[in-house]
Amino acid sequence: MPVYHAPIQDMRFVLHELFDSSTITQLPGNADFTPELMDSVLEEAAKMAENVLFPLNQVGDLEGCVYENGVVRTPTGFRDAYKAFCEGGWGAMAASPEWGGQGMPIPAAMMVEEMLCSANVAFGLYPGLTHGAYVALSHAGSEEQKKTYLPNLVTGKWSGTMCLTEPHCGTDLGMLRTKAEPNADGSYSITGNKIFISAGEHDLTENIIHLVLARLPDAPRGVKGISMFVVPKFLVREDGSIGPRNGLQCTAIEHKMGIKASATCAMSFDGAKGWLVGEPNKGLAGMFKMMNTERLSVGMQGLGIAETAYQNAVTYARDRIQGRSLTGAKAPDRQADPILVHPDVRRMLLTMRAYIEGCRGLAGWVARELEILNKSTDDEAKQAADDFSSLMTPVVKAMFTDMGFEIASLAVQTYGGHGYIRDHGIEQYVRDARISMLYEGTNGIQALDLVGRKLPQDGGRLLTRFLDPVMEFIDAHADNAALEPFLPPLQQAIEHMQEATGFIMENAMSNHDEIGAASVDYLRLFGLTALAFVWARMVAIAAPKAEEEGQGQFYRAKVQTAKFFMERLLPQTGALLAAIRSGSTTMMEFEDAAF
Amino acid sequence: MPVYHAPIQDMRFVLHELFDSSTITQLPGNADFTPELMDSVLEEAAKMAENVLFPLNQVGDLEGCVYENGVVRTPTGFRDAYKAFCEGGWGAMAASPEWGGQGMPIPAAMMVEEMLCSANVAFGLYPGLTHGAYVALSHAGSEEQKKTYLPNLVTGKWSGTMCLTEPHCGTDLGMLRTKAEPNADGSYSITGNKIFISAGEHDLTENIIHLVLARLPDAPRGVKGISMFVVPKFLVREDGSIGPRNGLQCTAIEHKMGIKASATCAMSFDGAKGWLVGEPNKGLAGMFKMMNTERLSVGMQGLGIAETAYQNAVTYARDRIQGRSLTGAKAPDRQADPILVHPDVRRMLLTMRAYIEGCRGLAGWVARELEILNKSTDDEAKQAADDFSSLMTPVVKAMFTDMGFEIASLAVQTYGGHGYIRDHGIEQYVRDARISMLYEGTNGIQALDLVGRKLPQDGGRLLTRFLDPVMEFIDAHADNAALEPFLPPLQQAIEHMQEATGFIMENAMSNHDEIGAASVDYLRLFGLTALAFVWARMVAIAAPKAEEEGQGQFYRAKVQTAKFFMERLLPQTGALLAAIRSGSTTMMEFEDAAF
């Protein structure tokens, strides 16, 4: 049976030591969120994740959701778990106190989200989508819409969805066909078919609030003619109670590779009553508010799954005895050594660990900037935070999810043939992780967003929000002996990244295909460089504490994992640079008919 | 619905142009196997793969095998397909005419095997294991055993298994516990439990011939005390007819991530009657004859799945319209361009293609050497062939299967969210491919075999069987303008590989952990270098024909794919060398308790 223990020690390291959490407490409105309070939130969240959600992860996969006549049943135990989740206030965690939320600082909330994804990523999609709908409505909705929907979304009494994709359009929303015809009462009649709607129908809540992208009759073609509508499953009466059923239904659920406990619905809107959210034809902007939140959340899915996969691989590597160490028996009293003695097993485990802890540190950084963006009153700091989080959103989404899949697969490899057997619960992580590379914009789309939009934006200013602190750090630690083995590889990676950036910017001006040709490799090169910086920062903190009584082992492990990252994983940047520098010619000249 | 068309044109290129098939015809016993005959075999095999086996691939996954009271039912259609397969003589293809086989040259047989794996890898395991049992028995069995079992294994009337793994031992067979007690009549009573037995029980054949590893009462401990026994499901009467049921049964089948149509059985031997195969305590050597054949076959599983995944990704990329080319609409009459216009989609497709065609060429090389080993009368040529195929077996097994999984995942990525849906049939390839990295020795074990055994063997002679032809080729083509862009990257890769080899050999003498620390990265570095050489050879053939009428497009595509491989994929060798050079210190110093 799989194991999961929330990595609270490492989370606290990121929260308090890597990014001084007291500076978060000092932001307006955060006075109550002391470092101690954040700690107790993590501890409570860990209990919920470990004891309530994690035990349902395998049963959720085995049973999946069941569809019958428009109704969707979630797997055994999900209703009770959802009730417990809402009663614990976890759905309200990140929402504003104005609407009944707890206004939890994002750095802590994001760690709770990681736990949720580690424990049961399919479950997590239900409150996750609700929070996305909350974000979109609280940004773009009218006061009346907010009052009508937000309080119940925050408590989790109702849930939310985002209805974008149609059978013929996903990435290219400009082609969407769902129509919205105005009614006399100011509402609209929504008609069309949507697919891949997570939590589109289920048995966890009394109402489901759909945010639907559709076209008004006079809308311009393409993405500039898309509006957003709020379309509840049950109409809401003036007194806030549940009214009649709206004209929409779930017509099927998808049978998928993984996240089987998450209902992925085909939805049919047949003159359903909806209300315009925000301005006409500006629906995509509103949806993207939600989308950016979702993209970071999807990144946390990759990280969360990776953490559980790692923990199980370690447990197996300790328990499974097989063969002898190449340097002589390490457990001579037993028939064989635990496979943890084998260098290649350690290589796999340290690869997982180096990515996971690096990504957790990077997530902590992005979360801190988002918190500053949300709560600071310093315009300059807010702008910097906005720049940085915009820049990093596609990196977190794509790199974390690529890693989630890769790490889950490495965990299977650690198990040998046993990893392929469903009962062990480990292959589920590979299947569950695979979706995160696809939804909320494929990882290829994330890379295009990074290279085609974020890099050139505002004359390249966004990128300086990453490079400036790196340069400051390198300068500040030039004489720090503890960092001696770490700064040269970091500098090398930065050079690779800058060379790649220069190459793309120069060539993309005359040929836009250079953007697409470089984008995925560039995102990975950027991501690895960001991890290298995070690891160097972690070493700066950990190295002086490595010989401390008690906690020394934790800090020594940090320094050694950093070393492993620099030696074994970071050299990929050179290969990525070479690939990028080869440009678009070969791939574009290849004859279409020859594929 | 997925598509598959056997890539006969490329197979013919490898068979006839890359490795002159007439030299195969000239080997003793091969006179009938003219190049023309091999072509018609490929064409007939393509029909069988495309029309009989491929249509059952999805249903096999959906239904899986069903276990009830010791009996295993294969999915709908499998019995009929198996009958057709045997009637077509496909099971007998690679077996010796002495036992009713066709004695097909291995280069052609291996391509048929690729088709089988492309079409339905789970189905392919049934005849695949039978062929493995045939190989082991024909090498190590007594004349009487051969007469009793081989003819029916060759026709496919009976099937075979290899029973190695026990719950507590897989990689480390030294720990195996199954016992063989001598009976008065010269037979043995076999008692013990085996797991992960592919085709251990099913409804395709009237008898199942198990090759079981077990210990004699006086056997030495460890791997030197393992003997091989032939243990039929039904005892065979003297007249060759089926006798009483033997004392063994299937107690369960595993529920797995993929290859669900292949019955993976837990087998209980309870005093089952068996006969010693070969010498006492030499069972592992006999089994390894079978195992090497199996390892190459498993490599072909990776290649086969990759080919189908690629074909489907290409089909989807042509059909799916979404977005516009970054350099302006390519299909202005349609609402959007096919996604094939996007550089990143082409990057994914060319990555798949470059690995697939490179691996197919490398497989062709190994197959030719195996054929020489089997049939040549020239001892020197045989020794060279034995060396080369021994060296390459772990590379083919591990690299091809890593690639199979990676390519299947890239195909899913090409599909976007649709790739995650079972109906499209594409995510099945990811699940089906994952096992090949685990069984018949995990890919980590393959890497240890390469670095720890094959590299040092006979003073490093095996490696020269690869390096010598590379050097000859580079010299011979020094003035070949067509190869100008290709030789420098090949030379660079060779240098990386030689530097890595030197580093490992030097350091491993004082510290055996250096072998395990380097092995997986080294195998990949070696494999990429081998692919670079194969690509350079293919360019030498294709470049002069690239402007020919009719076939020119095929040869142009070869040259361009080679270019893509050199530019985009081969640079990984530098990163791998850097990782290898970091050695074992960091991973071994990491404290066990800190994982």
Side-chain angles (χ1 to χ4, degrees):
Chain A
M1 292 292 293
V3 294
Y4 171 66
H5 299 289
I8 289 185
Q9 189 177 19
D10 198 52
M11 289 176 166
R12 295 190 61 225
F13 172 78
V14 171
L15 203 55
H16 305 315
E17 296 189 79
L18 185 59
F19 302 107
D20 181 359
S21 54
S22 68
T23 61
I24 296 296
T25 313
Q26 286 154 21
L27 287 170
N30 278 357
D32 290 350
F33 294 104
T34 59
E36 294 71 33
L37 182 69
M38 293 188 225
D39 276 354
S40 46
V41 167
L42 292 186
E43 271 156 35
E44 289 306 309
K47 286 182 204 157
M48 177 272 303
E50 293 168 8
N51 305 329
V52 179
L53 303 183
F54 187 60
L56 298 179
N57 194 47
Q58 261 187 300
V59 71
D61 183 61
L62 281 171
E63 288 184 17
C65 286
V66 178
Y67 174 88
E68 214 171 10
N69 297 323
V71 174
V72 172
R73 270 200 329 275
T74 55
T76 306
F78 271 53
R79 282 173 62 91
D80 288 345
Y82 184 77
K83 202 160 160 267
F85 182 88
C86 293
E87 282 170 4
W90 296 108
M93 181 178 63
S96 162
E98 191 184 352
W99 305 111
Q102 296 168 20
M104 178 90 64
I106 294 174
M110 217 187 241
M111 283 169 181
V112 176
E113 199 160 349
E114 184 201 311
M115 293 184 200
L116 195 56
C117 297
S118 286
N120 196 323
V121 74
F123 177 94
L125 284 170
Y126 296 99
L129 269 292
T130 300
H131 186 66
Y134 161 85
V135 171
L137 272 176
S138 65
H139 274 89
S142 67
E143 275 313 298
E144 196 193 330
Q145 287 169 345
K146 290 182 192 177
K147 275 186 200 145
T148 307
Y149 299 109
L150 294 189
N152 284 333
L153 287 174
V154 168
T155 59
K157 193 174 172 191
W158 299 349
S159 71
T161 76
M162 45 202 291
C163 299
L164 287 74
T165 305
E166 299 180 4
H168 66 290
C169 77
T171 299
D172 185 2
L173 288 170
M175 293 200 286
L176 78 77
R177 292 179 193 149
T178 298
K179 282 182 204 164
E181 316 251 7
N183 299 323
D185 65 357
S187 70
Y188 293 81
S189 283
I190 313 290
T191 302
N193 294 308
K194 297 285 183 178
I195 60 167
F196 296 171
I197 307 309
S198 295
E201 179 59 52
H202 56 77
D203 56 2
L204 300 179
T205 59
E206 62 166 40
N207 204 358
I208 300 175
I209 313 305
H210 303 283
L211 293 180
V212 182
L213 293 189
R215 290 185 180 284
L216 293 168
D218 55 352
R221 291 180 57 139
V223 290
K224 289 179 180 160
I226 298 173
S227 306
M228 177 157 63
F229 299 85
V230 56
V231 188
K233 174 178 168 186
F234 291 99
L235 297 171
V236 180
R237 294 208 181 85
E238 292 222 351
D239 64 358
S241 66
I242 294 289
R245 180 76 192 238
N246 203 350
L248 61 95
Q249 60 167 334
C250 171
T251 53
I253 60 173
E254 304 289 351
H255 297 97
K256 309 185 298 294
M257 183 185 197
I259 54 164
K260 291 175 194 273
S262 165
T264 306
C265 302
M267 302 296 298
S268 166
F269 294 85
D270 188 17
K273 208 163 186 174
W275 289 267
L276 184 67
V277 179
E279 290 177 55
N281 302 328
K282 296 278 168 68
L284 223 49
M287 197 57 95
F288 264 90
K289 275 283 168 202
M290 180 174 179
M291 191 76 106
N292 277 330
T293 308
E294 290 298 314
R295 285 179 172 177
L296 292 169
S297 294
V298 173
M300 299 314 282
Q301 293 174 17
L303 176 57
I305 290 175
E307 173 66 32
T308 312
Y310 168 75
Q311 290 188 19
N312 283 280
V314 168
T315 305
Y316 191 80
R318 286 193 208 288
D319 292 350
R320 176 76 171 176
I321 64 165
Q322 203 78 183
R324 287 293 183 197
S325 162
L326 293 171
T327 55
K330 295 292 179 286
D333 50 322
R334 304 179 68 180
Q335 220 191 335
D337 290 335
I339 61 172
L340 187 61
V341 306
H342 301 304
D344 190 57
V345 170
R346 300 169 85 87
R347 181 191 61 81
M348 293 194 283
L349 296 177
L350 282 168
T351 299
M352 301 183 210
R353 193 179 173 94
Y355 283 134
I356 288 168
E357 294 184 3
C359 287
R360 186 174 292 127
L362 183 56
W365 187 4
V366 174
R368 194 191 58 159
E369 299 297 316
L370 283 173
E371 185 65 9
I372 291 168
L373 174 62
N374 278 357
K375 301 209 176 140
S376 174
T377 49
D378 175 342
D379 285 345
E380 207 172 308
K382 280 167 84 88
Q383 182 65 57
D386 196 13
D387 289 352
F388 181 80
S389 54
S390 295
L391 177 71
M392 283 295 177
T393 296
V395 178
V396 168
K397 195 280 182 181
M399 182 172 68
F400 286 28
T401 59
D402 282 355
M403 293 305 165
F405 181 68
E406 199 174 316
I407 288 168
S409 181
L410 276 174
V412 166
Q413 198 65 23
T414 311
Y415 274 69
H418 294 272
Y420 201 67
I421 307 300
R422 284 193 80 164
D423 301 354
H424 286 97
I426 198 77
E427 56 84 38
Q428 183 188 343
Y429 296 111
V430 177
R431 293 185 288 103
D432 283 356
R434 189 64 187 80
I435 185 62
S436 62
M437 299 156 73
L438 299 165
Y439 59 17
E440 311 305 340
T442 66
N443 286 0
I445 291 297
Q446 304 302 319
L448 278 181
D449 178 45
L450 174 66
V451 178
R453 197 172 302 149
K454 302 296 171 61
L455 285 192
Q457 193 177 319
D458 295 308
R461 191 185 65 216
L462 275 53
L463 189 58
T464 64
R465 307 297 188 180
F466 169 69
L467 291 175
D468 289 351
V470 176
M471 296 311 174
E472 277 166 36
F473 179 87
I474 290 175
D475 284 348
H477 291 273
D479 300 326
N480 184 343
L483 277 167
E484 212 177 313
F486 299 95
L487 293 188
L490 171 60
Q491 264 167 317
Q492 168 91 85
I494 289 283
E495 279 162 30
H496 287 159
M497 185 184 149
Q498 286 183 311
E499 198 178 331
T501 312
F503 175 86
I504 298 167
M505 291 303 122
E506 204 178 302
N507 291 282
M509 288 203 281
S510 57
N511 179 3
H512 285 177
D513 277 336
E514 291 292 334
I515 296 168
S519 52
V520 163
D521 286 331
Y522 182 86
L523 185 144
R524 178 65 61 91
L525 167 53
F526 189 174
L528 288 169
T529 306
L531 294 186
F533 177 47
V534 168
W535 270 115
R537 290 174 71 167
M538 296 200 285
V539 168
I541 294 159
K545 302 183 182 175
E547 300 310 322
E548 268 178 16
E549 293 270 323
Q551 299 298 307
Q553 187 185 66
F554 173 83
Y555 294 110
R556 282 196 301 280
K558 271 269 173 275
V559 176
Q560 285 176 305
T561 308
K563 204 148 171 278
F564 183 89
F565 178 84
M566 300 290 178
E567 288 173 353
R568 288 259 159 191
L569 306 175
L570 193 58
Q572 294 169 72
T573 58
L576 292 163
L577 172 62
I580 291 165
R581 288 188 62 91
S582 72
S584 69
T585 310
T586 305
M587 63 180 84
M588 299 316 292
E589 278 182 2
F590 196 88
E591 293 162 72
D592 284 10
F595 273 109
Chain B
M1 291 295 292
V3 294
Y4 172 65
H5 300 289
I8 289 187
Q9 189 177 19
D10 199 50
M11 289 176 165
R12 297 190 61 225
F13 173 79
V14 171
L15 203 54
H16 306 314
E17 297 188 77
L18 186 59
F19 303 106
D20 180 0
S21 54
S22 67
T23 62
I24 296 295
T25 313
Q26 288 154 20
L27 288 171
N30 277 356
D32 290 350
F33 294 103
T34 59
E36 294 70 32
L37 181 69
M38 293 188 225
D39 276 353
S40 46
V41 167
L42 292 187
E43 271 156 36
E44 288 306 309
K47 284 181 205 157
M48 177 271 303
E50 293 169 9
N51 304 329
V52 179
L53 303 183
F54 186 60
L56 298 178
N57 193 46
Q58 262 187 301
V59 72
D61 183 61
L62 281 170
E63 288 184 18
C65 287
V66 177
Y67 174 87
E68 214 170 10
N69 298 322
V71 173
V72 172
R73 271 202 325 277
T74 55
T76 306
F78 271 54
R79 281 172 63 91
D80 289 343
Y82 184 78
K83 201 159 160 269
F85 182 87
C86 293
E87 283 171 3
W90 297 108
M93 179 178 62
S96 162
E98 190 183 354
W99 304 110
Q102 297 169 19
M104 179 89 62
I106 294 175
M110 218 186 241
M111 282 169 184
V112 176
E113 199 159 349
E114 184 202 310
M115 293 184 201
L116 194 55
C117 296
S118 286
N120 195 325
V121 74
F123 178 94
L125 284 170
Y126 296 99
L129 269 294
T130 300
H131 186 65
Y134 161 86
V135 170
L137 273 176
S138 64
H139 274 88
S142 67
E143 275 313 299
E144 196 193 330
Q145 288 168 345
K146 290 182 192 177
K147 274 186 202 145
T148 307
Y149 299 109
L150 293 188
N152 284 334
L153 287 173
V154 168
T155 58
K157 192 173 172 193
W158 298 349
S159 71
T161 76
M162 45 201 294
C163 299
L164 287 75
T165 305
E166 299 180 4
H168 65 289
C169 76
T171 299
D172 186 1
L173 289 170
M175 293 201 284
L176 79 76
R177 292 180 193 149
T178 298
K179 282 181 201 164
E181 316 250 7
N183 299 324
D185 64 357
S187 70
Y188 293 81
S189 283
I190 312 290
T191 302
N193 295 307
K194 297 284 183 180
I195 60 166
F196 297 171
I197 308 308
S198 296
E201 180 58 53
H202 56 77
D203 56 2
L204 301 180
T205 58
E206 63 166 39
N207 204 358
I208 301 174
I209 312 305
H210 302 283
L211 293 180
V212 182
L213 295 187
R215 291 185 179 286
L216 294 168
D218 56 350
R221 292 180 53 140
V223 290
K224 289 177 180 160
I226 297 174
S227 306
M228 178 158 61
F229 299 85
V230 56
V231 188
K233 174 179 168 184
F234 290 99
L235 297 171
V236 180
R237 295 208 180 86
E238 292 221 353
D239 63 358
S241 66
I242 293 291
R245 179 78 192 235
N246 203 350
L248 62 95
Q249 59 168 335
C250 171
T251 54
I253 60 172
E254 303 289 351
H255 298 98
K256 309 186 298 297
M257 185 185 196
I259 54 162
K260 290 174 194 274
S262 165
T264 306
C265 302
M267 302 297 299
S268 167
F269 294 86
D270 188 17
K273 208 163 187 172
W275 289 267
L276 183 67
V277 179
E279 291 177 55
N281 303 327
K282 297 276 168 71
L284 222 49
M287 197 57 96
F288 264 90
K289 275 282 169 205
M290 180 172 180
M291 189 76 105
N292 277 331
T293 307
E294 290 297 314
R295 284 179 173 177
L296 292 170
S297 294
V298 173
M300 299 315 282
Q301 294 174 18
L303 176 57
I305 290 176
E307 173 66 33
T308 312
Y310 168 74
Q311 290 188 19
N312 283 280
V314 168
T315 305
Y316 191 80
R318 286 193 208 288
D319 291 350
R320 175 76 171 176
I321 63 165
Q322 203 79 182
R324 287 293 183 196
S325 162
L326 292 171
T327 54
K330 295 292 177 287
D333 50 321
R334 302 178 70 180
Q335 220 191 336
D337 289 335
I339 61 171
L340 186 62
V341 304
H342 300 305
D344 190 57
V345 170
R346 301 170 84 88
R347 181 191 61 81
M348 293 194 283
L349 295 177
L350 283 168
T351 299
M352 302 183 209
R353 192 179 174 95
Y355 283 133
I356 289 168
E357 294 183 3
C359 287
R360 187 174 292 128
L362 183 55
W365 188 5
V366 175
R368 194 191 57 159
E369 298 298 315
L370 283 173
E371 185 66 10
I372 291 168
L373 173 62
N374 277 358
K375 303 214 174 135
S376 174
T377 49
D378 175 343
D379 284 344
E380 207 172 309
K382 279 168 85 89
Q383 183 64 58
D386 196 13
D387 288 352
F388 181 79
S389 55
S390 296
L391 178 71
M392 284 295 177
T393 296
V395 179
V396 168
K397 196 280 183 181
M399 182 172 67
F400 286 28
T401 60
D402 282 353
M403 293 305 165
F405 181 67
E406 199 174 315
I407 287 168
S409 182
L410 275 175
V412 166
Q413 199 65 22
T414 311
Y415 274 70
H418 294 271
Y420 200 66
I421 307 301
R422 286 191 79 164
D423 301 354
H424 285 99
I426 198 77
E427 57 84 38
Q428 183 188 342
Y429 296 111
V430 177
R431 293 185 288 103
D432 283 356
R434 190 64 188 77
I435 185 61
S436 62
M437 300 156 72
L438 299 165
Y439 60 16
E440 311 305 341
T442 66
N443 286 359
I445 292 298
Q446 304 302 320
L448 278 180
D449 178 46
L450 173 67
V451 177
R453 197 173 300 149
K454 304 295 171 62
L455 285 191
Q457 194 177 317
D458 296 307
R461 191 186 65 217
L462 275 55
L463 189 57
T464 64
R465 306 297 189 181
F466 169 69
L467 290 176
D468 290 350
V470 176
M471 296 310 175
E472 278 166 36
F473 178 87
I474 291 175
D475 284 348
H477 290 275
D479 301 325
N480 183 342
L483 277 166
E484 210 176 313
F486 299 96
L487 294 188
L490 171 61
Q491 264 167 317
Q492 167 91 85
I494 288 283
E495 279 162 30
H496 287 160
M497 186 185 150
Q498 287 183 311
E499 199 178 333
T501 312
F503 176 87
I504 298 167
M505 292 303 123
E506 202 178 304
N507 291 283
M509 288 205 280
S510 56
N511 179 3
H512 285 176
D513 277 335
E514 291 292 334
I515 295 167
S519 52
V520 163
D521 287 330
Y522 182 85
L523 186 144
R524 179 64 62 91
L525 167 53
F526 189 172
L528 288 170
T529 307
L531 294 187
F533 177 46
V534 169
W535 270 115
R537 289 174 71 168
M538 295 200 286
V539 168
I541 294 160
K545 302 183 181 174
E547 300 310 322
E548 267 178 16
E549 292 272 324
Q551 299 297 307
Q553 187 185 65
F554 174 82
Y555 295 109
R556 281 197 301 280
K558 272 270 174 273
V559 176
Q560 286 177 305
T561 308
K563 204 148 172 276
F564 183 88
F565 179 82
M566 300 291 179
E567 289 173 351
R568 289 258 159 190
L569 305 175
L570 192 59
Q572 294 169 73
T573 58
L576 292 162
L577 172 62
I580 290 165
R581 289 190 61 92
S582 71
S584 70
T585 310
T586 304
M587 62 179 84
M588 299 315 291
E589 279 181 1
F590 196 88
E591 293 162 71
D592 284 10
F595 273 108

